[in-house]
Amino acid sequence: GAAYTSMGMGAKGADAFKVCVERAREAHGEETPEYINALANYTDALMRLNRFEEVEPLAIRCVELVQRVGGVKQADKAAIISRLGLLRRKQDRFDEAMKWYKLSLEGYTPTNDAERYTRAKTLNNIASVHHERAEYDDAVANYREAYNVFVSLNGATSGDAMITANNIAVMYIDQGLHDKAAAQL
């Protein structure tokens, strides 16, 4: 699934992840980290294909499971809960999105680069909700924190850093601060 997705073959990736979900259920049962991770990967693949009606019950199921099943890595739990926030944001349900994003970070203390990256992605998503609500001070604070993590992990020319820098510039444009936007770009 990951290989197909990385090659831009999202539908084939989703199909492979769906098989993985079935195999994880057969091998481990549903109340296990293996099943939850397989379901999360499938949910993510469908999200990338904008198949939101299919994603919604799966994302909710993932969150329900991850909140009660032990043994799920902290970063995986945060990403799964944050994914429901992303779905809500894409549905223009910003209050719910913010709720899930913040819940995903509760008690989340990154201990390695992968976990710091997961947290930064969520901060970037929180910033985007603030941006949509015209809460610019909160948006820029979260964008900048995420940007600094992306730069420290992968450099200023990494995709995540450049996208976040661009998000900040767009926010400045939305406020009519064109000089700041130009400097940011």
Side-chain angles (χ1 to χ4, degrees):
Y4 281 130
T5 301
S6 70
M7 294 186 302
M9 301 168 72
K12 281 191 172 195
D15 291 343
F17 282 127
K18 185 176 184 178
V19 171
C20 185
V21 169
E22 294 163 4
R23 298 295 181 264
R25 180 184 297 119
E26 291 168 5
H28 305 284
E30 291 189 8
E31 302 273 329
T32 63
E34 294 83 5
Y35 176 80
I36 294 168
N37 287 327
L39 186 60
N41 287 334
Y42 179 49
T43 303
D44 189 50
L46 292 175
M47 180 91 79
R48 291 172 189 258
L49 296 170
N50 296 321
R51 291 166 51 180
F52 303 133
E53 287 183 21
E54 293 172 72
V55 168
E56 186 161 14
L58 300 176
I60 291 168
R61 176 80 173 133
C62 279
V63 169
E64 289 170 351
L65 286 169
V66 81
Q67 289 180 318
R68 74 169 184 264
V69 173
V72 178
K73 293 178 185 173
Q74 186 181 27
D76 292 340
K77 183 176 180 178
I80 287 166
I81 295 171
S82 183
R83 186 175 298 109
L84 184 53
L86 178 60
L87 174 64
R88 295 302 184 223
R89 193 185 88 206
K90 288 179 179 276
Q91 295 170 323
D92 293 331
R93 294 163 65 176
F94 300 118
D95 290 341
E96 290 178 62
M98 188 65 80
K99 172 188 132 183
W100 292 112
Y101 288 145
K102 288 184 175 183
L103 181 63
S104 76
L105 295 180
E106 279 183 16
Y108 182 52
T109 306
T111 60
N112 59 47
D113 287 349
E115 292 175 359
R116 281 188 277 287
Y117 177 81
T118 296
R119 184 175 182 282
K121 290 292 276 188
T122 300
L123 289 172
N124 193 58
N125 289 335
I126 288 171
S128 70
V129 172
H130 285 303
H131 185 170
E132 288 286 337
R133 295 172 161 176
E135 299 165 353
Y136 298 121
D137 291 341
D138 290 330
V140 76
N142 283 282
Y143 278 140
R144 290 222 181 273
E145 187 175 347
Y147 175 81
N148 290 336
V149 172
F150 294 143
V151 169
S152 73
L153 294 176
N154 298 311
T157 59
S158 69
D160 290 312
M162 290 192 298
I163 288 168
T164 304
N166 186 70
N167 289 343
I168 295 168
V170 169
M171 187 193 61
Y172 287 146
I173 291 168
D174 290 348
Q175 296 175 77
L177 304 172
H178 301 290
D179 290 339
K180 283 181 110 171
Q184 179 66 40
L185 290 170

